[in-house]
Amino acid sequence: AQKITQTQPGMFVQEKEAVTLDCTYDTSDQSYGLFWYKQPSSGEMIFLIYQGSYDEQNATEGRYSLNFQKARKSANLVISASQLGDSAMYFCAMREGNRGYQKVTFGIGTKLQVIP
Amino acid sequence: GAGVSQTPSNKVTEKGKYVELRCDPISGHTALYWYRQSLGQGPEFLIYFQGTGAADDSGLPNDRFFAVRPEGSVSTLKIQRTERGDSAVYLCASSLGLHPDTQYFGPGTRLTVL
C-alpha cells in the first residue's frame, strides 16, 4: 500500500479563495510526523508546515493550515486567500516513528493553479 | 542565512559516462539526504548521512550509485556508467537531525543522460 496518497493530480482555485489539497497516509506507528512542501516551477522544495501525530491542535503557518484527522488518517493542506504565487506542485510527506532517524516518504504531488 | 546549494544546476552527459553531483548543506546541519525526482513523481529517497557516515543507503538503486561526505559537510553523489534511465532531478536536503527534523532542500541538479 502507498504510504502517502494524493488523489488530486491538479487543482484550480480563484485568486483570493481558499483551497484544500488532500493527503491520506498509511502507517501502523503511533508516532509519526506529516509535512507539506511546495515546489514551484524553479524546482526547489519549500517547507510549508509540519504536524506531529501527538499534536492536539491543527498546525498553522500564516495562510497555511493543516486539517489533521487522525482517525481518518488524513492531513489535508488548506491555503487561505490564494495568491498567484501559490501556483506550484504541493507534496505531502510522512516520517514514521520518532526515535533516531526515520525515512521520509513523499506523495506524488498535486499541481495547484491559481486563476486571476 | 544561506540555504542548501547544489552544483551544477544542469548536467548533460552521454550514456556510459561518470558524473558527480555536489551538495553544500546549511551550515550546522548534521543530517544530509539525497533524493531523486523523476517527472511527475515525488522525491524518492536515495541515501542519508549523519555526519560523515552513510546511515541509510537503502534507496540507492544499484552499485553504480555512490555518495560520500568526507568531512561531514559537503556531499558528492557519484554515478558511474550512466544510463538513460538515470535522467532525473537529483535533490539534496539537510536538517539539524533533531525532532521534528524538518528537511530543507536545495534547488536540485537536473541530470540528462543522452
Side-chain angles (χ1 to χ4, degrees), chain A residues 2 4-6 8-9 35-39 43-45 89-94 104-111, chain B residues 34-46 59 87-92 103 105:
Chain A
Q2 293 288 325
I4 294 288
T5 302
Q6 294 181 257
Q8 306 154 313
F35 303 81
W36 276 93
Y37 285 84
K38 171 185 178 182
Q39 188 177 42
E44 188 163 349
M45 298 279 285
M89 287 291 293
Y90 288 81
F91 292 94
C92 180
M94 176 175 65
V104 172
T105 304
F106 286 80
I108 64 169
T110 295
K111 184 173 183 177
Chain B
W34 283 99
Y35 292 85
R36 179 168 69 177
Q37 187 176 23
S38 301
L39 196 62
Q41 301 294 320
E44 176 190 4
F45 170 79
L46 294 176
S87 296
V89 175
Y90 289 81
L91 294 166
C92 176
Q103 296 178 25
F105 283 78

Side-chain angles (χ1 to χ4, degrees), chain A residues 29-72:
Chain A
D29 281 345
Q30 295 300 308
S31 178
Y32 52 88
L34 297 153
F35 303 81
W36 276 93
Y37 285 84
K38 171 185 178 182
Q39 188 177 42
S41 56
S42 59
E44 188 163 349
M45 298 279 285
I46 302 167
F47 166 71
L48 296 178
I49 196 166
Y50 167 81
Q51 178 85 42
S53 59
Y54 293 121
D55 294 342
E56 295 183 353
Q57 304 264 357
N58 284 345
T60 60
E61 289 286 349
R63 295 187 297 112
Y64 304 108
S65 60
L66 202 152
N67 184 1
F68 182 46
Q69 298 188 38
K70 196 169 181 176
R72 300 175 69 176

Side-chain angles (χ1 to χ4, degrees), chain B:
Chain B
V4 178
S5 62
Q6 292 186 247
T7 54
S9 55
N10 279 284
K11 177 70 177 177
V12 180
T13 190
E14 294 180 344
K15 181 174 177 291
K17 299 290 188 184
Y18 168 83
V19 296
E20 289 189 352
L21 311 180
R22 176 188 166 110
C23 172
D24 202 338
I26 293 171
S27 178
H29 280 194
T30 59
L32 185 146
Y33 307 78
W34 283 99
Y35 292 85
R36 179 168 69 177
Q37 187 176 23
S38 301
L39 196 62
Q41 301 294 320
E44 176 190 4
F45 170 79
L46 294 176
I47 187 169
Y48 156 69
F49 287 90
Q50 180 58 46
T52 60
D56 183 352
D57 64 358
S58 62
L60 295 178
N62 51 59
D63 60 6
R64 295 187 298 105
F65 288 74
F66 189 71
V68 296
R69 194 185 186 199
E71 298 178 356
S73 179
V74 171
S75 176
T76 305
L77 178 66
K78 308 180 181 193
I79 311 175
Q80 299 177 319
R81 305 184 303 280
T82 51
E83 299 178 356
R84 292 194 180 90
D86 298 335
S87 296
V89 175
Y90 289 81
L91 294 166
C92 176
S94 70
S95 70
L96 284 170
L98 301 171
H99 182 76
D101 206 27
T102 301
Q103 296 178 25
Y104 296 91
F105 283 78
T109 294
R110 182 175 297 278
L111 176 66
T112 303
V113 182
L114 301 176

